[in-house]
C-alpha cells in the first residue's frame, strides 16, 4: 500500500493521525514495556506497520518509506515515546536501509530493501567486540578474500537481538596496513551461514536483549561488501545527523518522571521541601533539555548538518534519565530493592524496571565519557 | 557571502546593532581596570558611562516609544544585559532599566510615568525599585510598609531591603499597603524622613536598605494605584529574573572561556593541562551547563516577547533564574579550581567573575528558591 504524502499535512494534523494510528493499531499490552521487546512479541506490530506503509518513516517514498521530513519525523518519535510504543527490531530500517541507499549497489538495494520492509529480513549489528568497545576501530574480526568469498573469523558482542536476526551487518578487518580505521570493511552476512554461533547474554534486568556472535570460517560472498574494500569505517560513520539528535530527545525519560510524580503524590512527598527540591531540579533538568533539544531540532529542520556539539544532548538526556530513576528507587524505600510491581500507598509501581532500563544509555552509542572526549576535542578545542 | 537570515527582519537588525554597540562599548567604554577601581566606592559606577548607555539607547530598550524609549523587547535587552555583564560593568543597568522601569511602565499615573520614563531614558535620572522587605521572599504582595492618608497627602512608614541600584539612585519606587491595597509611590532620594543605608555586595557594589519615617508623599507621586500595582511589580520582577539570567549568561560565558583558554596554555607535566581527561571532562560538563542556560534563556525571551502573562510567565522566569544561577555559580566556582592557586588571588580576574555570580545568584532568589517557586506555581496551576 502506498502511503500518502504525510509531509503535505500540517504538523497538528500529522500528530493527530499518528495518535489515531497508535490508538487504533498498537497492542495495549505492549505499551511501556521498559525493555527491548523481542521479535516474537513485536512481529505482529511490525507487519501492521508494514501493511500500512508506516514501517520505514525515514526512507524516501520511492523506496517504500514514509519519506517524512525532519519535522514530521520528530513528531512521530515524540508520539511514539508518549504512547509508550516499543521499538520493533529496527536495525534494518534505521541503519541498513539508509546505508544501502547511499553506498549499496543496485543489486544489493533491490535484493535487501524490500525484504526489510516486509519483515522477511531482520538485521542485527555486528560492531562491538570483546576488545573493541569504545575503541571500536581496533576491532579484530577478520575477513580474508578467498575466491569469490571472504572468510570471516572472530567474535562480536552486544549484538542487539541477534537471536532474532536473519542477517548481520558487520564491520570486519580487511587490512592491517596504515591507520586502523582504514582497514575495516562493511559486510552483509546471512545469519544462517555455516560457522555462525549466536549466544544470548542475559543483562542485569534479566532480559536477553543482546548476544555474542562467533564467526568460525564463515563464507561471505564478496558481492556482500558495501561501500568498497577498507571503506567500512566511512560507511558506518555516515549516519544521518538526525539519528544523532533522536537519542537526546527529552521524551524518553518522561515515563520515569510520571511514575515518580505519581508515587510521590501517593506518599504525600510534595509536602516535603527536601523532596520537592530534588524532584523539581530533575523536572527542570528535563525541561531545560527540551529547550536545548528544540534548538538542535530547528537546525536540522533548516536542513543544516549538526556538528559534534550534539553529543551534549545524549550526555544530558541519558544522565538526567538515570538521576530520575535513582530518585525513583530512593522514593520507593524498601521496594527500591525489590523487583517487579508492588503496591505502595495505593499505587502499583515497578521501580526497578525503569532503573535498569535507564542504565545502558550512558554506555551504548558512544559512552558518556567518549561523548565528553568528543566535545572536549571538537567543540572546546582542547589539546589531546 | 551568503545572506544572513538573522538580518532579514527589522527586529533582528535591532538585535545586531545592539550586539555591535555592546561589543564596541565593552571594548572601549569599560574595562576590568575600571571595574577594579570602582569596587567598594560610592556610588560604585560612573555617570558619564551611564550617559553613554543612554546615548546607545540601552536605557529605553524596554520602554515604549510613546514614552521616549525604543519599544523593543527582552530579546534586545538580553543582548545588552549579557554583554555588559560579561565585562562586569558595574552600572545598575538591569536594576534601573529593567526592574524599576518595568514597574513604572506598568503604572497608571500617566503624568508621573511619562516624566520618570523620559528622564530615565535620557540618562538624567536613575530610579530604583524598593519592594522587598525580608530575605528569601519573592512575593511582591508581602509588604508591610504602611501608606496612610495625611492631610491632603500620604504618609509612608516602614522599611525596605535589598534594593538593587540604590547607590546613586535619584529616587525610589516604593510599594506600600494603603487602605485601597498594594500601591506604588515615587519617593525622591533625600526626601524628609528617608534614610538610605548601603551594604556591600560580594562583587564590590552595594545594596540599599531604606527606612521611611513619616515620609510625606503628595498625591501626584502616587505612581501605581491598587488597580495595577501588584501586576506592575510582578511583571517587573519576572522580567528582571530573565534579565538577571541573561547577565549570568554573560558572566558564566566569559568565566568558562577564560578557563578553557587557560587549559590550553597552562603546561604541567610537560603537557597543556587541558589534555588531562579529568579537567577536559569537567570543562565539558560546564559547557553543557552554559548551553542549557542559554537554551532556556532563548525560550524565555521569545515567550516574554510574545506577551506571556500570569503563571506561565512566572514559571518561565523561575526556570531561567534557577538554571542560570546554578550554572553561573558552578562555572565560576570551577573556574577558580581550573586556574589553581592563581585563580584564588585578587589580582586574577576569575575571582571577580565568581563574585559577580554570587551577587547575581542571590539577587531576587537563588536556584533553590526558584525551584521551590516553580513547584508552587505548578501546583496552583493544576
Amino acid at each position: 500500500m502506498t502511503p500518502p504524502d504525510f509531509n503535505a499535512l500540517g504538523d497538528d494534523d500529522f500528530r493527530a493521525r499518528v495518535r489515531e494510528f497508535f490508538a487504533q493499531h498498537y497492542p495495549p499490552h505492549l505499551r511501556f514495556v521498559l525493555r527491548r521487546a523481542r521479535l516474537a512479541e513485536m512481529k505482529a506490530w511490525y507487519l501492521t506497520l508494514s501493511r500500512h506503509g508506516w514501517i520505514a518513516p525515514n526512507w524516501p517514498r520511492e523506496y517504500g518509506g514514509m519519506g517524512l521530513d525532519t519535522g514530521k519525523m520528530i513528531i512521530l518519535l515524540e508520539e511514539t515515546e508518549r504512547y509508550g510504543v516499543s521499538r520493533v527490531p529496527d536495525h534494518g530500517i534505521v541503519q541498513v536501509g539508509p546505508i544501502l541507499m547511499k553506498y549499496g549497489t543496485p543489486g544489493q538495494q533491490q535484493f535487501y530493501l524490500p525484504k526489510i520492509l516486509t519483515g522477511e529480513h531482520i538485521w542485527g549489528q555486528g560492531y562491538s567486540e570483546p576488545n573493541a568497545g569504545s575503541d571500536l576501530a581496533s576491532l579484530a574480526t577478520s575477513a580474508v578474500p578467498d575466491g569469490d568469498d571472504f572468510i570471516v573469523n572472530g567474535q562480536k558482542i552486544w549484538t542487539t537481538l541477534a537471536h532474532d536476526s536473519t542477517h548481520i551487518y558487520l564491520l570486519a578487518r580487511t587490512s592491517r596496513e596504515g591507520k586502523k580505521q582504514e582497514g575495516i570493511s562493511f559486510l552483509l552476512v546471512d545469519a544462517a551461514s555455516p560457522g555462525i554461533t549466536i549466544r544470548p547474554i542475559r543483562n542485569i534486568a534479566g532480559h536477553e536483549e543482546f548476544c555474542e556472535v562467533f564467526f568460525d570460517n564463515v563464507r561471505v560472498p564478496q558481492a556482500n561488501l558495501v561501500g568498497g574494500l577498507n571503506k567500512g569505517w566511512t560507511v558506518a560513520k555516515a549516519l544521518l545527523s538526525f539519528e544523532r539528535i533522536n537519542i537526546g530527545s527529552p521524551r524518553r525519560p518522561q515515563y520515569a518522571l510520571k511514575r515518580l510524580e505519581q508515587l510521590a503524590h501517593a506518599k504525600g512527598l510534595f509536602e516535603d521541601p527536601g523532596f520537592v527540591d530534588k524532584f523539581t531540579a530533575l523536572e527542570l533538568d528535563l525541561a531545560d533539555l527540551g529547550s536545548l533539544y528544540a534548538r538542535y531540532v530547528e537546525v536540522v529542520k533548516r536542513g543544516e548538518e549538526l556538528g559534534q556539539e550534539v553529543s551534549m544532548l545524549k550526555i544530558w538526556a541519558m544522565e538526567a534519565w538515570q538521576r530520575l530513576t535513582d530518585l525513583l528507587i530512593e522514593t520507593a524505600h524498601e521496594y527500591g530493592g525489590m523487583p517487579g510491581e508492588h503496591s505502595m500507598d495505593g499505587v502499583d509501581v515497578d521501580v526497578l524496571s525503569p532503573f535498569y532500563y535507564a542504565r545502558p544509555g550512558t554506555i551504548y552509542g558512544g559512552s558518556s565519557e567518549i561523548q565528553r572526549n568528543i566535545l572536549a576535542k571538537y567543540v572546546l578545542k582542547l589539546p589531546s | 557571502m551568503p545572506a544572513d537570515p538573522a538580518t532579514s527582519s527589522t527586529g533582528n537588525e535591532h538585535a545586531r546593532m545592539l550586539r555591535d554597540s555592546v561589543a564596541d562599548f565593552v571594548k572601549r567604554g569599560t574595562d576590568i581596570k575600571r571595574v577594579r577601581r570602582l569596587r567598594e566606592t560610592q556610588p560604585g559606577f560612573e555617570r558619564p558611562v551611564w550617559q553613554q548607555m543612554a546615548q546607545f539607547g540601552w536605557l529605553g530598550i524596554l520602554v515604549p516609544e510613546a514614552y521616549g524609549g525604543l519599544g523593543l523587547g527582552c530579546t534586545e535587552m538580553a543582548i545588552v544585559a549579557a554583554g555588559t555583564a560579561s565585562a562586569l560593568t558595574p552600572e545598575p543597568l538591569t536594576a534601573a532599566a529593567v526592574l524599576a522601569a518595568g514597574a513604572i511602565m506598568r503604572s497608571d499615573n500617566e503624568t508621573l510615568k511619562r516624566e520618570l520614563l523620559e528622564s530615565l531614558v535620557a540618562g538624567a535620572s536613575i530610579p530604583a525599585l524598593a519592594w522587598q522587605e525580608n530575605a528569601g521572599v519573592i512575593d511582591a504582595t508581602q509588604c508591610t510598609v504602611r501608606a496612610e492618608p495625611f492631610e491632603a497627602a500620604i504618609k509612608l512608614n516602614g522599611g525596605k531591603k535589598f534594593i538593587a541600584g540604590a547607590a546613586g539612585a535619584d529616587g525610589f519606587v516604593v510599594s506600600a499597603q494603603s487602605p485601597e491595597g498594594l500601591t506604588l509611590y515615587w519617593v525622591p532620594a533625600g526626601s524628609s524622613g528617608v534614610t538610605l543605608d548601603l551594604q556591600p555586595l560580594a562583587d564590590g557594589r552595594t545594596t540599599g536598605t531604606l527606612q521611611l519615617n513619616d515620609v510625606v508623599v503628595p498625591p501626584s507621586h502616587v505612581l501605581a494605584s491598587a488597580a495595577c500595582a501588584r501586576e506592575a511589580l510582578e511583571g517587573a520582577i519576572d522580567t528582571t529574573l530573565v534579565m538577571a539570567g541573561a547577565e549570568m549568561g554573560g558572566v558564566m560565558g566569559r568565566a568558562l572561556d577564560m578557563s578553557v583558554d587557560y587549559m590550553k596554555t597552562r603546561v604541567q607535566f610537560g603537557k597543556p593541562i587541558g589534555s588531562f581527561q579529568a579537567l577536559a571532562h569537567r570543562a565539558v560538563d560546564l559547557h553543557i551547563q552554559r548551553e542549557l542556560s542559554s537554551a532556556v534563556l532563548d525560550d524565555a525571551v521569545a515567550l516574554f516577547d510574545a506577551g506571556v502573562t500570569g503563571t506561565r510567565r512566572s514559571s518561565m522566569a523561575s526556570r531561567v533564574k534557577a538554571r542560570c544561577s546554578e550554572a553561573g555559580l558552578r562555572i565560576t566556582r570551577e573556574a577558580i579550581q581550573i586556574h589553581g592557586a592563581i585563580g584564588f588571588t585578587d589580582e586574577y580576574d576569575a575571582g571577580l567573575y565568581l563574585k559577580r555570580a554570587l551577587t547575581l545568584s542571590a539577587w531576587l532568589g537563588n536556584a533553590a528558591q526558584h525551584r521551590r517557586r516553580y513547584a508552587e506555581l505548578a501546583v496552583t496551576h493544576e
Side-chain angles (χ1 to χ4, degrees), chain A residues 23-176:
Chain A
Q24 202 177 344
H25 298 291
Y26 190 72
H29 70 281
L30 288 174
R31 291 184 67 186
F32 299 108
V33 296
L34 306 193
R35 59 186 160 76
R36 197 65 201 268
R38 296 288 304 272
L39 180 64
E41 302 167 276
M42 299 307 295
K43 187 76 187 193
W45 175 238
Y46 197 114
L47 295 177
T48 303
L49 290 168
S50 182
R51 225 172 21 250
H52 288 86
W54 284 55
I55 189 68
N58 55 327
W59 292 17
R61 297 177 74 211
E62 63 262 35
Y63 288 101
M66 290 171 89
L68 295 187
D69 63 31
T70 307
K72 295 289 188 300
M73 193 70 201
I74 283 159
I75 291 171
L76 177 63
L77 288 165
E78 283 175 356
E79 291 305 314
T80 301
E81 296 291 343
R82 199 188 61 85
Y83 200 74
V85 175
S86 273
R87 274 174 77 180
V88 294
D90 58 4
H91 278 91
I93 291 146
V94 176
Q95 306 247 347
V96 179
I99 282 171
L100 288 183
M101 287 172 213
K102 191 164 181 182
Y103 295 102
T105 63
Q108 288 169 342
Q109 293 178 359
Q110 281 154 24
F111 180 74
Y112 290 108
L113 296 181
K115 294 184 174 64
I116 294 172
L117 290 176
T118 58
E120 189 182 335
H121 287 182
I122 300 293
W123 286 86
Q125 182 190 65
Y127 282 8
S128 295
E129 297 181 5
N131 291 317
S134 289
D135 182 14
L136 183 61
S138 68
L139 58 88
T141 293
S142 63
V144 179
D146 182 67
D148 289 340
D149 296 333
F150 289 105
I151 309 281
V152 176
N153 277 290
Q155 182 189 353
K156 292 291 176 181
I157 197 165
W158 321 131
T159 310
T160 303
L161 301 182
H163 42 351
D164 287 337
S165 302
T166 60
H167 289 72
I168 291 168
Y169 58 105
L170 194 71
L171 289 180
R173 184 149 304 284
T174 40
S175 166
R176 296 182 198 285

Side-chain angles (χ1 to χ4, degrees), chain A residues 285 288 291 295 372-373, chain B residues 277 281 285 294 299 323 371:
Chain A
D285 281 349
D288 296 354
S291 294
R295 193 187 255 194
R372 285 185 171 86
N373 287 350
Chain B
Q277 211 172 33
H281 286 192
D285 286 336
S294 135
D299 274 5
R323 173 64 58 194
R371 283 195 292 266

Side-chain angles (χ1 to χ4, degrees), chain A residues 261 265 270 273 276-278 280-296 309 311-312 315-316 319 368-377 379-384, chain B residues 256 260 263-264 271-277 279-285 287-292 294-296 298-299 316 318-319 322-323 330 367-372 374-375 378-379 382:
Chain A
E261 198 174 1
H265 269 304
F270 286 104
V276 170
D277 189 59
K278 281 188 195 176
T280 311
L282 287 167
E283 196 181 13
L284 292 182
D285 281 349
L286 290 189
D288 296 354
L289 169 68
S291 294
L292 193 59
Y293 172 78
R295 193 187 255 194
Y296 289 113
E309 73 271 15
S311 286
M312 259 187 288
I315 296 176
W316 190 253
E319 292 183 359
S368 287
E369 289 69 29
I370 292 294
Q371 306 294 346
R372 285 185 171 86
N373 287 350
I374 290 170
L375 288 165
K377 182 172 175 182
V379 177
L380 297 181
K381 315 243 185 268
L382 288 169
S384 48
Chain B
L256 183 54
V260 170
M263 288 170 69
K264 291 173 185 171
K271 294 168 90 177
I273 60 170
S275 65
F276 302 130
Q277 211 172 33
L279 281 178
H281 286 192
R282 191 168 208 155
V284 166
D285 286 336
H287 177 68
I288 293 174
Q289 288 301 313
R290 168 167 66 181
E291 293 301 302
L292 284 169
S294 135
V296 187
D298 280 359
D299 274 5
M316 190 75 232
S318 281
R319 263 184 73 191
R323 173 64 58 194
R330 178 168 163 194
Q369 289 174 263
H370 279 284
R371 283 195 292 266
R372 198 175 314 130
Y374 180 87
V379 171
E382 269 165 13

